[in-house]
Amino acid sequence: MQKVESQTAGGRHLSDAWQSAVTVVQEAMPPHVPANAHAMTIVVEFPPGDPGTPPHRHTGPAFGYVMDGEMVFEIEGEPARVVRAGEAFWEPGGDVIHYQDGNHRTDVPVRFVVTMFCEPGRPMLTLVDDDELARRADARKRHGTVA
């Protein structure tokens, strides 16, 4: 970030802290956002060892940040990975299945914030049934183990 000279407003010194206060934790090419979508920001907290939300999908993209603990994150087409406190994640939404968002740790809770863009008139989260999971099993990447 380029340094900008100190300024004054009405004779009072303005802080320069804003010039180094921002840390980029995630950048993504904007995925499809449903027409007339509304944004919703939620905080999710799972107790130690909790498997999280069953396989589901969102009507639009979701962007998240882990505040405390460690989350196992798995979406269709990508292997499961651990997202730790201070790290970000995102998913495109739409037809993509979100398999896991559970707590990777058995000794501490996980807490994360998610901002999602929801299609009007549809729920922000829809569970995926076992029949669909079986039909789409070949799209699930299960490479290695989550560390």
Side-chain angles (χ1 to χ4, degrees):
M1 194 175 278
Q2 185 178 10
K3 188 91 169 155
V4 178
E5 289 185 32
S6 296
Q7 301 176 10
T8 59
R12 119 189 110 109
H13 175 71
L14 298 179
S15 169
D16 293 334
W18 66 271
Q19 295 178 45
S20 61
V22 174
T23 300
V24 175
V25 294
Q26 173 176 251
E27 287 188 69
M29 290 300 296
H32 170 73
V33 176
N36 299 316
H38 70 277
M40 176 187 301
T41 300
I42 62 172
V43 174
V44 178
E45 185 170 349
F46 291 125
D50 194 274
T53 312
H56 62 278
R57 63 173 47 98
H58 302 284
T59 58
F63 299 87
Y65 180 81
V66 177
M67 297 183 294
D68 300 302
E70 300 177 359
M71 174 185 60
V72 177
F73 180 75
E74 181 187 4
I75 61 173
E76 192 170 47
E78 295 182 12
R81 64 185 172 97
V82 175
V83 184
R84 293 174 171 79
E87 297 177 345
F89 59 93
W90 78 281
E91 62 181 284
D95 193 44
V96 175
I97 296 173
H98 184 166
Y99 290 102
Q100 295 187 66
D101 65 359
N103 192 340
H104 183 244
R105 303 275 302 265
T106 58
D107 57 339
V108 295
V110 65
R111 190 165 59 109
F112 53 95
V113 62
V114 181
T115 298
M116 59 191 79
F117 295 87
C118 306
E119 188 174 313
R122 297 204 35 217
M124 67 98 168
L125 181 146
T126 304
L127 297 180
V128 177
D129 65 35
D130 290 339
D131 290 339
E132 183 176 2
L133 289 174
R135 284 193 312 274
R136 294 172 70 150
D138 61 334
R140 190 170 187 183
K141 304 272 186 208
R142 292 189 176 228
H143 298 227
T145 58
V146 175

